[in-house]
Amino acid sequence: MFQLNLTQFTQEEFLRDYWQKKPVLIKQGFLNFEDPISPDELAGIACEEQVQSRLIHHTDGKWQADFGPFESYDHLGEENWSLVIQALDNWSEDAAQIIEAFRFIPHWRLDDLMASFATPGGSVGPHMDKYDTFICQGSGSRRWRVGDNGEHKEFSAHTALLHVESFDAIIDEELEAGDILYIPPGFPHEGSSLNNSMSFSVGFRTNSTVSLLSAFADHLIDNDQGNELIQDPNREATQNSGAIDTKDYQLIKNQLQQTLDNDEVFRNFAGSYMSQAKHEMDLVPNEEPFSDEDISDILVQTNLLRLGGLRAFYFTDTVDQGICYINGSQVDFDSSITPVVKLMCDNVCVAAEDLAQWKDNSLFIDFVKTQLDLGYWYFSE
């Protein structure tokens, strides 16, 4: 288990003074850090078709980017290239444990765990991100430069690489195993590997207004909602047929606002949308369903683990009504099992000792059985 070693500030002080405000280097944020996955294992994952991977390299000042899957890296030589894997938490249970150290930020804000292996001189170039990131240095070392927030000109160094022009650094440090660099959105930064090194980045992001409205419109269409028309039975005659007067403008605006203000409709959309998987998951539905007796026996001796990349949320003011959201869908359950369902949403791993008291609860056994059959949760020692 990875635990944050915060000696400079508390979690509350970090959120108050740094979160989305300014970057900070947390020296030895992880004590005695060891890579949860080896470079060879990372390269093996990049061979898989469903995994999002990139090779970024530069020679003679020219940047190149290739997309996986990859079968060989021999042609790249021994320097100036990086292998980047998105959503490693979906494919490596051990690597996903890094995310657990950042649970003081709600999981609906999480994007994914990105990992990279880089040779000496390897880099993805100077760039800016639209999300918050905690860059956790693994084996080896990298030099990181971070500039201040402000007007920075971006340009395409390659069709797949958006870079930023040179910037003055407000942080210029060499990161070693266990060091963590936090960078808010909009701060230019560049990392360059000093030797063969591993890096793990926990990213948090939100959605733009455009993406939310677009997804909300799709949700209304899929659920045959939002079909109400404007009604104006008390309309008065106008002398200006080309005008949209103040009253009519308000009618149009209210038509949208009333749908947004419908808590039942919008909450269902928000819960479903936010719980959709960000990346493809290693989903393996259970082929041989468990019996009630099997589940009851296993609950007292085996931990219940959530599939990597699976998102499960609840709203604090409706969960007691027996409503949560799992992998893009609203899930209804009997409100009597709310405490244990909240445990499953709050934790990637629920210990057997916390499940034991529910082993004879048929409602919870039915709930777990459904999740096991879907491949969303599984039992593990």
Side-chain angles (χ1 to χ4, degrees):
M1 179 67 72
F2 297 90
Q3 293 185 336
L4 282 179
N5 173 46
L6 297 181
T7 58
Q8 301 165 240
F9 37 66
T10 64
Q11 293 177 356
E12 291 74 18
E13 289 170 338
F14 166 79
L15 292 170
R16 182 194 67 197
D17 298 336
Y18 296 99
W19 176 254
Q20 297 214 322
K21 302 175 186 70
K22 58 184 178 180
V24 63
L25 174 60
I26 307 171
K27 293 296 291 183
Q28 290 303 284
F30 288 126
L31 292 176
N32 304 314
F33 185 91
E34 295 183 4
D35 294 336
I37 187 171
S38 71
D40 286 344
E41 290 172 321
L42 197 70
I45 290 175
C47 294
E48 301 296 331
E49 182 74 35
Q50 61 269 43
V51 174
Q52 294 185 27
S53 58
R54 291 180 297 161
L55 271 175
I56 300 170
H57 48 102
H58 60 101
T59 305
D60 298 328
K62 294 184 178 180
W63 289 90
Q64 298 293 329
D66 303 309
F67 293 87
F70 303 107
E71 296 182 357
S72 174
Y73 307 89
D74 295 339
H75 63 288
L76 296 169
E78 297 183 354
E79 59 183 22
N80 298 325
W81 61 270
S82 299
L83 171 64
V84 179
I85 302 288
Q86 296 291 151
L88 181 61
D89 49 310
N90 290 26
W91 309 101
S92 170
E93 183 179 306
D94 291 335
Q97 290 298 312
I98 294 176
I99 295 173
E100 297 307 293
F102 301 95
R103 284 284 176 176
F104 63 95
I105 299 168
H107 198 66
W108 72 267
R109 296 282 270 102
L110 177 70
D111 186 34
D112 72 347
L113 172 69
M114 184 182 74
S116 71
F117 167 77
T119 57
S123 173
V124 299
H127 64 284
M128 293 189 297
D129 295 317
K130 295 182 179 180
Y131 52 87
D132 299 85
T133 183
F134 294 89
I135 300 171
C136 309
Q137 182 62 38
S139 58
S141 55
R142 298 188 189 188
R143 179 190 176 192
W144 281 94
R145 298 178 66 255
V146 184
D148 205 350
N149 197 7
E151 295 295 327
H152 296 281
K153 186 176 180 180
E154 294 180 293
F155 65 96
S156 295
H158 180 272
T159 54
L161 293 173
L162 187 63
H163 282 179
V164 64
E165 291 187 344
S166 61
F167 56 87
D168 294 327
I170 57 175
I171 292 178
D172 189 341
E173 296 281 353
E174 180 179 323
L175 270 64
E176 298 178 338
D179 292 343
I180 301 173
L181 178 61
Y182 165 71
I183 306 175
F187 286 77
H189 52 280
E190 178 180 20
S192 181
S193 190
L194 302 177
N195 39 53
N196 286 348
S197 68
M198 293 281 284
S199 182
F200 305 88
S201 299
V202 181
F204 293 88
R205 76 163 73 208
T206 54
N207 299 281
S208 68
T209 303
V210 169
S211 63
L212 281 175
L213 287 175
S214 176
F216 186 44
D218 290 340
H219 177 83
L220 294 176
I221 293 170
D222 292 342
N223 291 277
D224 195 25
Q225 295 174 324
N227 296 314
E228 299 81 4
L229 303 178
I230 290 175
Q231 296 184 7
D232 50 358
N234 298 317
R235 177 161 295 281
E236 299 175 354
T238 181
Q239 300 301 315
N240 306 100
S241 63
I244 300 175
D245 63 23
T246 303
K247 289 183 178 179
D248 283 351
Y249 167 74
Q250 200 61 47
L251 277 175
I252 297 168
K253 186 177 179 180
N254 286 346
Q255 183 181 23
L256 289 177
Q257 193 65 53
Q258 287 171 4
T259 304
L260 292 171
D261 287 343
N262 186 323
D263 269 353
E264 182 178 354
V265 171
F266 194 77
R267 192 188 303 276
N268 178 263
F269 156 70
S272 301
Y273 181 66
M274 295 300 176
S275 65
Q276 290 177 1
K278 296 284 187 178
H279 302 270
E280 187 166 350
M281 297 184 294
D282 190 15
L283 192 61
V284 183
N286 187 32
E287 295 182 356
E288 298 183 9
F290 290 93
S291 68
D292 290 4
E293 294 75 15
D294 289 338
I295 294 177
S296 183
D297 291 339
I298 296 172
L299 285 175
V300 299
Q301 56 189 343
T302 309
N303 299 334
L304 186 61
L305 269 69
R306 186 193 307 174
L307 180 69
L310 181 73
R311 300 166 72 84
F313 303 129
Y314 59 86
F315 290 103
T316 54
D317 51 354
T318 59
V319 66
D320 288 333
Q321 300 171 22
I323 300 172
C324 69
Y325 300 86
I326 301 174
N327 197 31
S329 298
Q330 177 176 315
V331 176
D332 300 313
F333 57 89
D334 192 276
S335 60
S336 66
I337 64 170
T338 295
V340 70
V341 172
K342 288 173 65 175
L343 274 178
M344 292 174 64
C345 292
D346 287 339
N347 301 278
V348 168
C349 176
V350 183
E353 58 196 59
D354 294 321
L355 297 169
Q357 62 179 302
W358 302 93
K359 70 181 185 67
D360 296 320
N361 188 307
S362 60
L363 296 170
F364 178 60
I365 289 175
D366 286 342
F367 181 86
V368 171
K369 186 190 298 184
T370 299
Q371 303 309 313
L372 293 171
D373 289 347
L374 290 169
Y376 292 168
W377 269 268
Y378 59 97
F379 288 118
S380 178
E381 296 295 337

